[in-house]
Amino acid sequence: MIRSRETRWSLFAAAVGVVFLFAAPQVFELFTIINLTTVLALAILALSLALVWGYGGILCFGQTMFFGLGAYAYTIAAINIGETTAPIFIAIFVAAAFAAILGYFIFYGRVSDVYLAVITLTVTLIFYSLLRSTSGPEYKIGNALLGGFNGVTSPPLNIPGDPSNVLYPEDMFYVAMAALILAYLFCVWLTQTHFGRVMVAIRENELRAELLGYDIRLYKLALFAIGGGIAGMAGVLFANGIGRVTPDIFNLYNTALTIIWVIVGGRGTLIGPVLGAIALFYLTSGLGTQASINNNLVLGIILIVFVLLVPRGILPGVIGIWDRAQSRSKLLRSEKRMRRRRAPRRPEQEAANDG
Amino acid sequence: MTGEIVLETRNLSQHFGGVVAVDRVNFTLWDAELRCLIGPNGAGKSTFFKCLTGQLSPTEGDVVIRDFHAGGREPHEVARLGVGIKTQVPNVFDGLSVEENVWLAARRWQGAKRAKVLTDETLERLVLGDIRNDLVGVLAHGQRQWVELGMVVAAEPWLVLLDEPTAGMTQEEVLRTADLIKEINQTATMIVVEHDMQFIRMIANQVTVFHEGRILIEDTMDAVARDQRVRDVYLGHRQQ
Ligand SMILES: Nc1ncnc2c1ncn2[C@@H]1O[C@H](COP(=O)(O)OP(=O)(O)O)[C@@H](O)[C@H]1O
Ligand SMILES: [Mg+2]
């Protein structure tokens, strides 16, 4: 199978990530580094949707629900347990398990693509309004007060096995960046396995995959749960980056944003949506500091421009242009060679050149 | 016919609203057979075929493949019995290479090493080696059909069901397909749906003729070709 170019680029991207991991704290100001944890959490969320939608063809319009569930599960577990290592795994498990349960009904019920989008969006918005209505003192899970629209303060990560040894915000950057690199490599590996190739096959043609004997319901369910787990992990980092979880994680704006990241970055690539999330974060926070242009308007325009003009997204678009340029220059080169071969040598010209 | 019955339908019916596409069909296929299913367009061949392969859930009746009740089961459950299926409208993975299409079929049943060998063998056997890295989506219709046949072959099925395998092929490709089908029949029992009589003549011995959702006649190719009713059905449709 000819996927070596893809693999090479993925490893290159991961290497750039590692360099960034060590270089960024030397280069950037503290404020930027602390802020980066949140950005990287969003990037991992984008990665999870790139996997589920871009590779698996499952248009989940509620990837933020698993993200939010991860963030809430982490926070509530950490408050109750009094340390944060187990809560990380609890958060990932809760998000993946919820994705598996929801996915069971969707995929085994043979829900069509459009309804899948509607259902996932609806469930996300249900979480939003449910959590908003938990402001009374009676809404408690263990020691954790849910706090309605104010949310809950998230305990920061501690060193495993040492609850009193809490990470500084600037140290969180290392954790978040390492998590992004590892999650990315995991996704790259997954897409190269037999499982991953079957997922791509299902995206290309469900019926053919079934006729080959693949149970597509099971494959989709598995991918959906894996994507949910990754989003849940991103939620843990987000809770750490912001220091608090609120129902707003589940709101319509955020879930639409995840879709825009993937459309802008490009479906069918993993790194594209990651970069899309980071770029759009800095674009919107840059716009947020001035008052003249409305943020939502800009996002809307970006969405429309991409859907109409760059439907494959930036990265696949650039790769396409690069490939075309390559083959054109190859063509030109071979044409030149042909012409040279065809042209009869003119001795007087050669002599002139020599002289 | 002697030997074992490998596929049987019992009173199989498929209705679409008021349309009775398949009407109480009792059909029997014996081990090692190469059976051709013919009939004019709209006779119900593809619908019958889809009932056999789990793509449609029959309105009534049952499909039995060996001991497995296949009526109303999922396509992957039928495939899992060792059944290779090619649909009338080519179903291939357009965004993937020829090689990967075939590999996905082989890898379903085999470990990584054996799947690789099987893929190479299949590509060579179907003369797809030169285009193995091409995306299937850019290929000509006839070539796409061959890729789909390659996927069927690479799964090493014991029962092969093909719906109009030569549609859109050049004359030369049709001849090669006839040879390939005879070759596959060396190791697999087969049903081939066709409405092109020329092609049927090349491969068939036992033929089942469908007409208006029912079996009109079931006999050798020669007997079927001589039958007046079959002529009427075909001529009648040609005049339309
Ligand atoms: N999904 C469907 N919905 C409604 N009618 C259908 C459907 N599929 C087939 N039919 C009808 O059933 C009849 C048989 O069609 P088909 O099985 O495709 O015939 P054949 O393959 O012999 O040409 C036709 O009248 C066709 O219009
Ligand atoms: Mg047909």
Side-chain angles (χ1 to χ4, degrees), chain A residues 1-3 110 193-194 197-198 200-205 207-217, chain B residues 55 74-76 79 85 87 91-96 99-100 103-105 107-109 133 148 151:
Chain A
M1 237 103 315
I2 307 296
R3 291 197 298 270
R110 298 247 173 212
T193 59
H194 180 211
R197 299 325 290 167
V198 174
V200 174
I202 291 172
R203 180 191 71 198
E204 290 291 317
N205 189 329
L207 178 59
R208 177 36 72 193
E210 285 189 280
L211 292 174
L212 291 183
Y214 294 107
D215 185 351
I216 63 169
R217 303 167 301 182
Chain B
Q55 293 173 71
E74 299 288 333
H76 75 264
I85 300 155
T87 52
N91 270 299
V92 285
F93 305 121
D94 278 335
L96 303 181
E99 176 176 359
E100 200 163 8
W103 178 82
L104 280 158
R107 186 67 179 84
R108 172 66 183 87
W109 314 108
N133 295 323
E148 203 178 10
M151 295 166 96

Side-chain angles (χ1 to χ4, degrees), chain A residues 21-292:
Chain A
L21 170 72
F22 291 108
Q26 321 296 326
V27 178
F28 295 117
E29 289 167 32
L30 188 60
F31 169 78
T32 312
I33 292 299
I34 291 173
N35 213 2
L36 264 171
T37 297
T38 308
V39 183
L40 294 170
L42 299 178
I44 297 174
L45 173 61
L47 177 69
S48 74
L49 190 60
L51 183 70
V52 167
W53 183 22
Y55 267 91
I58 302 168
L59 173 49
C60 174
F61 219 108
Q63 198 65 14
T64 50
M65 106 175 91
F66 310 122
F67 181 73
L69 276 174
Y72 265 93
Y74 164 80
T75 302
I76 292 164
I79 290 172
N80 282 296
I81 296 173
E83 68 93 40
T84 62
T85 308
I88 296 174
F89 295 100
I90 291 172
I92 294 172
F93 174 80
V94 166
F98 189 78
I101 293 166
L102 190 63
Y104 177 81
F105 289 107
I106 290 174
F107 301 122
Y108 282 75
R110 298 247 173 212
V111 169
S112 72
D113 291 349
V114 177
Y115 282 103
L116 187 150
V118 172
I119 289 172
T120 48
L121 174 61
T122 309
V123 175
T124 307
L125 295 179
I126 288 174
F127 272 112
Y128 175 60
S129 35
L130 276 182
L131 283 167
R132 274 181 70 93
S133 63
T134 58
S135 33
E138 67 273 30
Y139 295 105
K140 282 174 83 170
I141 299 179
N143 299 323
L145 213 55
L146 289 177
F149 59 82
N150 286 323
V152 197
T153 304
S154 303
L157 284 182
N158 59 253
I159 304 286
D162 189 0
S164 59
N165 199 346
V166 171
L167 289 188
Y168 290 109
E170 59 266 36
D171 295 334
M172 266 310 296
F173 162 77
Y174 291 107
V175 177
M177 193 63 211
L180 174 61
I181 294 169
L182 291 177
Y184 174 69
L185 288 175
F186 170 78
C187 290
V188 169
W189 169 80
L190 191 70
T191 57
Q192 309 272 317
T193 59
H194 180 211
F195 173 85
R197 299 325 290 167
V198 174
M199 278 318 309
V200 174
I202 291 172
R203 180 191 71 198
E204 290 291 317
N205 189 329
E206 291 197 356
L207 178 59
R208 177 36 72 193
E210 285 189 280
L211 292 174
L212 291 183
Y214 294 107
D215 185 351
I216 63 169
R217 303 167 301 182
L218 189 62
Y219 276 86
K220 286 181 169 186
L221 175 67
L223 187 74
F224 200 59
I226 291 170
I230 295 172
M233 184 185 78
V236 173
L237 296 168
F238 187 76
N240 270 278
I242 302 281
R244 149 175 301 280
V245 288
T246 67
D248 274 333
I249 298 174
F250 297 92
N251 73 16
L252 182 61
Y253 175 83
N254 283 325
T255 201
L257 202 54
T258 60
I259 301 286
I260 296 176
W261 294 337
V262 177
I263 287 176
V264 168
R267 271 182 295 158
T269 76
L270 293 169
I271 200 75
V274 168
L275 298 176
I278 296 171
L280 283 183
F281 177 87
Y282 283 111
L283 179 72
T284 48
S285 62
L287 289 173
T289 54
Q290 50 81 49
S292 55

Side-chain angles (χ1 to χ4, degrees), chain B residues 30 50 60 62 77 86 116 127 166 169 216 233 240:
Chain B
W30 308 80
K50 285 177 186 166
E60 257 173 72
D62 199 5
E77 294 177 291
K86 190 207 158 305
K116 178 91 184 64
V127 205
T166 65
M169 283 188 180
L216 184 69
V233 165
Q240 273 174 9

Side-chain angles (χ1 to χ4, degrees), chain B residues 41-42 44-47 88 163-164 193:
Chain B
N41 267 324
K45 305 181 299 292
S46 289
T47 305
Q88 179 171 350
D163 194 351
E164 305 215 11
V193 174

